[in-house]
């Protein structure tokens, strides 16, 4: 474990070489997806608050829409999450005054169904995002999934497509990406089941959905986390049933600092790398066993920082059956944002197989955006690395060669002090970096001669003398991006100095 006490900063050095031919994959914008679940105040008092001063005719907060657009999200997974395993989609369409109020067993709250797929699709158009829809395989199955598909995607002339038109949505939603349930390996999940049972129903549902539309992209449930006792074996069993019917297998991972061990926490992306490599190896094993030419992609459709241990202790899920209770409203620090930025670097470095990802979640619930009822909306610290990466990352992803010292962690073994990924397009490139050291500034020399860089367009860092500084309702702008000083480009060599516990980005003109 590294020393996390405050000491006078020293400077060490790192060298990064960028090879223009070391291409991971072209960027698919779905890697910058997010997640909206009917949980806590994510929907109600989050994206939807009809009495707010900025609300539009649908009741959506336009100040939140503006922040979502700035964040740069692309695909939004909806409506859950654990919520979907007890959800009757029919409850959430049609005249609002006729929609039933239900109990949500997943989060022990009251669901009014005032926001459903038709309204949410209109909200997505405001944010410029694509809908990624989950079907209920916990308490329902094939018939309900096919009905939802007909309602959502069929143009007209059938009972359910005509019902959609009658409800005010003339054009089909044309949802392309569908999740076959959610975390079906988890005992917390309504209707959870064994890998064999889930694989069978997922295969039958996938086959039926593709009979209706062969071009759908389907995501089968992987493990809820790499710590699950069935991790690996779950993926193998499920894919043996579903391999030829689906396109993606899901991965979910959340991270938090534990026991004051900041050094291990800053190296959390090593666990994500292990997770990805294990699922890829398992999927390819099944593919080889089935003699298939197909490669299963990964949908990392839940990832974030989540202080789950603290939420368990606070018993936020209770028997009061409240409407839109305050649940899972983590307030994030600079250190949390640095880890999130590093996790995003890891997703990009594995983008040849991780084709889609969803930051979970978007507003109020373990989210980069926070709101106060009737009041302000503001950016958490985690907002910044995501928004800048989404804005600057274009073209192809390059995997740089990094030469730097390592440090020892209690959880992950040895971890390099610096991590980085590079993206390059026709006229611009971007270098994303993290410094995991808690005490040392690191001078990084980046050989960008192969890119033909001509200048620095932007150089920013997220850092604070207090690694635990946060943005709160009382101080919404305590933490923000700063200019990355000492960034110099000379003869194709980019030199930057990374502060301790920092995430940084440098945009280059070519």
């Amino acid at each position: 474990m590294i020393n996390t006490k405050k000491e006078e900063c020293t400077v060490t050095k790192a060298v990064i070489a960028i090879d223009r031919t070391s291409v991971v994959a072209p960027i698919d914008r779905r890697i910058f997806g997010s997640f909206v679940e009917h949980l806590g105040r994510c929907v109600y008092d989050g994206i939807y608050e009809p009495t707010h001063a900025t609300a539009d005719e649908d009741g959506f907060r336009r100040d939140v829409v503006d922040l979502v657009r700035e964040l740069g999200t692309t695909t939004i997974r909806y409506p859950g999450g654990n919520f979907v395993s007890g959800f009757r989609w029919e409850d959430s369409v049609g005249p609002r005054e006729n929609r039933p109020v239900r109990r949500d067993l997943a989060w022990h709250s009251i669901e009014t169904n005032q926001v459903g797929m038709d309204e949410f699709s209109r909200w997505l158009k405001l944010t410029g995002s694509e809908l990624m829809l989950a079907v209920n395989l916990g308490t329902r199955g094939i018939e309900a999934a096919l009905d939802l598909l007909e309602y959502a995607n069929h143009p007209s002339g059938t009972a359910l497509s005509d019902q959609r038109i009658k409800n005010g949505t003339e054009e089909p939603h044309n949802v392309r990406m569908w999740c076959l349930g959610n975390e079906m390996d988890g005992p917390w999940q309504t209707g959870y089941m064994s890998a064999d049972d889930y694989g069978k129903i997922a295969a039958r549902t996938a086959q039926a959905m593709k009979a209706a539309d062969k071009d759908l992209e389907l995501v089968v449930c992987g493990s809820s986390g790499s710590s699950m006792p069935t991790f690996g074996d779950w993926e193998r069993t499920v894919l043996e049933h579903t391999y030829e019917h689906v396109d993606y297998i899901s991965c979910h991972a959340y991270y938090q600092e534990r026991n004051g061990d900041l050094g291990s926490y800053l190296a959390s992306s090593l666990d994500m790398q292990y997770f990805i490599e294990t699922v890829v190896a398992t999927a390819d094993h099944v593919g080889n066993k089935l003699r298939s030419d197909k490669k299963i992609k990964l949908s990392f459709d839940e990832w974030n920082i989540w202080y789950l241990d603290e939420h368990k202790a606070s018993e936020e899920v209770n028997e009061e059956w409240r409407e839109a209770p305050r649940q899972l409203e983590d307030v994030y620090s600079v250190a949390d944002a640095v880890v999130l930025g590093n996790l995003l670097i890891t997703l990009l470095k594995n983008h040849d197989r991780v084709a889609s990802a969803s930051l979970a979640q978007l507003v109020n619930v373990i989210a980069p955006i926070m709101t106060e009822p009737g009041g302000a909306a503001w950016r958490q610290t985690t907002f910044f690395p995501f928004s800048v990466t989404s804005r600057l990352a274009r073209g192809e992803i390059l995997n740089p060669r990094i030469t730097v010292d390592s440090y020892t962690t209690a959880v992950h073994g040895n971890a390099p002090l610096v991590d980085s990924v590079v993206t390059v397009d026709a006229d611009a490139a971007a270098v994303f970096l993290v410094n995991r050291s808690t005490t040392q500034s690191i001078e990084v020399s980046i050989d960008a001669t192969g890119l033909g860089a001509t200048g620095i367009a932007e150089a920013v860092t997220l850092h604070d003398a207090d690694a635990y500084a946060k943005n709160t309702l009382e101080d919404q702008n305590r933490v923000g991006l700063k200019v990355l000083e000492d960034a110099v480009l000379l003869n194709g060599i980019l030199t930057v100095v990374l502060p301790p516990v920092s995430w940084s980005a440098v945009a280059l003109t070519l």
Side-chain angles (χ1 to χ4, degrees):
M1 186 185 304
I2 64 174
N3 185 357
T4 60
K5 295 180 180 178
K6 288 188 176 180
E7 299 174 2
E8 183 179 352
C9 288
T10 58
V11 178
T12 189
K13 294 182 183 294
V15 175
I16 295 178
I18 301 173
D19 183 352
R20 185 64 180 81
T21 66
S22 184
V23 177
V24 175
I27 294 176
D28 184 332
R29 298 295 299 166
R30 282 177 173 172
I31 199 70
F32 299 113
S34 189
F35 179 29
V36 167
E37 180 173 2
H38 284 248
L39 159 59
R41 297 193 309 119
C42 186
V43 175
Y44 306 107
D45 282 351
I47 69 172
Y48 175 80
E49 189 182 346
T51 59
H52 195 271
T54 69
D56 65 12
E57 62 275 11
D58 277 321
F60 292 122
R61 289 182 56 154
R62 294 304 295 257
D63 58 343
V64 173
V65 167
D66 291 342
L67 286 176
V68 172
R69 292 186 68 88
E70 180 186 340
L71 185 64
T73 56
T74 52
T75 303
I76 308 293
R77 183 169 173 250
Y78 177 83
N82 297 347
F83 172 81
V84 79
S85 290
F87 180 52
R88 287 174 269 195
W89 70 266
E90 303 92 335
D91 291 347
S92 70
V93 298
R96 278 173 164 163
E97 63 272 16
N98 295 338
R99 296 180 190 178
V101 175
R102 303 283 191 189
R103 295 190 305 175
D104 168 32
L105 300 186
W107 302 105
H108 278 224
S109 60
I110 295 296
E111 174 56 50
T112 65
N113 286 301
Q114 292 302 289
V115 173
M117 184 173 61
D118 293 326
E119 293 87 12
F120 190 69
S121 293
R122 291 197 290 273
W123 180 84
L124 288 171
K125 287 183 173 64
L126 298 176
T127 65
S129 302
E130 172 192 3
L131 177 59
M132 177 182 180
L133 201 57
V135 300
N136 178 357
L137 292 187
T139 58
R140 307 188 80 180
I142 301 171
E143 183 177 32
L146 290 176
D147 285 350
L148 178 56
L149 175 59
E150 180 184 322
Y151 183 91
N153 283 10
H154 196 76
S156 64
T158 67
L160 291 171
S161 62
D162 287 348
Q163 181 184 337
R164 182 197 70 242
I165 294 169
K166 182 180 178 181
N167 290 338
T169 303
E170 184 172 344
E171 296 298 320
H173 297 298
N174 194 28
V175 182
R176 306 321 304 162
M177 200 166 183
W178 296 73
C179 302
L180 302 172
N182 175 76
E183 294 185 354
M184 297 308 298
D185 61 332
W188 56 84
Q189 198 72 214
T190 305
Y192 79 99
M193 57 192 78
S194 69
D196 190 58
D197 287 343
Y198 170 69
K200 289 174 181 176
I201 190 172
R204 294 196 300 271
T205 305
Q207 185 276 334
M209 292 179 72
K210 286 204 171 181
D213 185 342
K214 62 181 177 58
D215 295 324
L216 295 180
E217 299 174 67
L218 302 183
V219 185
V220 72
C221 289
S223 295
S224 301
S226 60
S227 62
M228 295 296 289
T230 55
F231 175 56
D233 193 52
W234 172 276
E235 281 79 1
R236 177 190 60 78
T237 302
V238 167
L239 285 174
E240 284 175 349
H241 286 291
T242 63
Y243 198 93
E244 293 302 334
H245 301 294
V246 302
D247 307 280
Y248 303 82
I249 186 164
S250 70
C251 302
H252 292 180
Y254 295 98
Y255 298 95
Q256 68 176 90
E257 182 181 345
R258 288 187 166 94
N259 304 316
D261 185 359
L262 180 57
S264 291
Y265 179 47
L266 291 168
S268 294
S269 67
L270 299 183
D271 178 81
M272 176 181 271
Q273 183 66 39
Y274 157 78
F275 195 162
I276 292 168
E277 290 175 355
T278 303
V279 174
V280 166
T282 304
D284 288 351
H285 164 73
V286 175
N288 292 335
K289 181 179 177 181
L290 298 175
R291 304 193 190 290
S292 175
D293 295 330
K294 178 180 180 179
K295 289 288 187 185
I296 294 291
K297 299 285 189 177
L298 275 57
S299 174
F300 224 113
D301 49 41
E302 287 188 33
W303 69 277
N304 203 349
I305 312 305
W306 182 5
Y307 283 85
L308 181 59
D309 295 351
E310 284 77 355
H311 291 298
K312 285 181 178 178
S314 69
E315 296 182 350
E316 290 182 337
V317 178
N318 54 50
E319 302 298 336
E320 293 183 16
W321 302 105
R322 293 168 293 169
E323 183 181 325
R326 290 182 180 263
Q327 292 175 305
L328 316 186
E329 297 195 7
D330 284 353
V331 180
Y332 292 123
S333 69
V334 169
D336 295 325
V338 172
V339 172
L340 184 139
N342 200 174
L343 295 173
L344 189 49
I345 286 172
T346 301
L347 292 172
L348 289 171
K349 289 168 82 168
N350 291 276
H351 195 34
D352 56 330
R353 295 303 292 269
V354 182
S356 175
S358 303
L359 178 67
Q361 294 185 15
L362 186 58
V363 183
N364 286 330
V365 175
I366 53 171
I369 299 169
M370 296 298 291
T371 72
E372 187 65 14
W378 65 96
R379 305 164 188 82
Q380 292 235 58
T381 59
T382 54
F383 183 100
F384 299 104
F386 190 100
S387 64
V388 174
T389 305
S390 178
R391 176 170 55 85
L392 295 182
R394 293 290 185 273
E396 294 179 324
I397 300 165
L398 306 181
N399 196 359
R401 297 191 306 276
I402 306 170
T403 303
V404 68
D405 291 341
S406 296
Y407 68 101
T408 302
T409 72
V411 176
H412 307 294
N414 290 334
L417 287 166
V418 170
D419 198 9
S420 178
V421 73
V422 178
T423 64
V424 60
D425 206 354
D427 56 0
V431 184
F432 305 98
L433 309 109
V434 291
N435 178 2
R436 294 169 173 151
S437 174
T438 59
T439 59
Q440 295 178 310
S441 293
I442 299 180
E443 183 182 289
V444 186
S445 177
I446 304 164
D447 185 351
T449 53
L451 298 179
T454 59
I456 298 174
E458 182 178 348
V460 295
T461 188
L462 188 76
H463 163 74
D464 195 276
D466 178 5
Y468 296 102
K470 303 175 180 181
N471 291 341
T472 63
L473 173 62
E474 295 74 24
D475 193 356
Q476 296 166 18
N477 299 304
R478 166 68 178 82
V479 177
L481 293 172
K482 302 175 182 178
V483 174
L484 180 61
E485 298 179 355
D486 303 319
V488 177
L489 179 67
L490 183 62
N491 297 325
I493 305 299
L494 173 65
T495 304
V496 297
V497 177
L498 307 179
V501 191
S502 65
W503 171 92
S504 303
V506 182
L508 301 172
T509 53
L510 306 183

